[in-house]
Amino acid sequence: MNLTKRRESLKRLYMPLGVALYRLHFPPNFITLLSVVTGMLSAYFFWHGKLLTAVGFLLLSGLLDLMDGVVARLSEKASKFGAVFDWLADKWVDGFVLGTVGYLYAGPFTAMLAITASMLHSFIKPVVYSEIGYSARVKGKIQDPLEGVGFFGRPETHLTLALFAILERFNMPLGLSFGIKLIAVLTLLSLFLRIAYLYKHFGKVYEE
């Protein structure tokens, strides 16, 4: 199952919460901001070794990140600013969380590798929008050549972190040191898959 299909399956689970936030009149950008705050709290608790609390805030941050788009579409308040703000918020949280966990449990090199892989895996898409273009916006979301390409995105990263943080908390043989390295490797492999796809479909040399 590729990223798009997994996200569609996940959407059926979180839609009711999005509807609830919409009915409570939460502004979409405020929900995005809350996802940043809870993500930063997750990094803070990872730093202080409160792993279960950190996992709770990380999952809440990821859930709120899904909610802002749902509320924007339901309230018809989707905006290009909101889309950009959402991208920046995601990477802000991921940088701090992956950096904190990587630095504490696997060392600076792994931290830098995990952050770099995560950033490139996401920001290859706006480069594609600029250089290759995209077909259309559907309900505020850009439909681009990389839609559905790759296998290890942001939800997978969060769930992997949560799993290995729990294992770490209960002193299992495989903990966060292994988990953050696994995230770095799988994100890189997913990034290489996207690069290979782009080369295959758009690697033709410009004709003069």
Side-chain angles (χ1 to χ4, degrees), residues 2 17 36 39 43 45 48 55 60 79 109 117 147 150-151 169 203 206:
N2 64 27
L17 180 56
V36 174
F45 284 111
H48 290 281
V55 166
L60 178 58
S79 67
F109 176 79
E147 193 67 30
F151 62 92
R169 172 63 178 78
Y206 288 122

Side-chain angles (χ1 to χ4, degrees), residues 169-181:
R169 172 63 178 78
F170 293 102
N171 300 312
M172 296 291 108
L174 294 178
L176 281 170
S177 176
F178 178 82
I180 193 68
K181 292 172 185 173

Side-chain angles (χ1 to χ4, degrees), residues 70-84:
V70 173
V71 173
R73 288 187 288 274
L74 289 174
S75 62
E76 299 182 347
K77 292 182 179 178
S79 67
K80 291 183 179 180
F81 169 80
V84 173

Side-chain angles (χ1 to χ4, degrees), residues 102 105-107 110 113-114 175-187:
Y105 292 92
T110 302
L113 182 62
L176 281 170
S177 176
F178 178 82
I180 193 68
K181 292 172 185 173
L182 181 65
I183 287 169
V185 169
L186 292 179
T187 307

Side-chain angles (χ1 to χ4, degrees), residues 142-160:
I142 292 176
Q143 304 299 298
D144 66 273
L146 284 179
E147 193 67 30
V149 178
F151 62 92
F152 199 82
R154 195 166 191 256
E156 292 79 14
T157 296
H158 285 196
L159 291 174
T160 303

Side-chain angles (χ1 to χ4, degrees), residues 59 83 118 137 199 201:
L59 295 178
S118 175
R137 283 181 178 267
Y199 182 79
H201 291 275

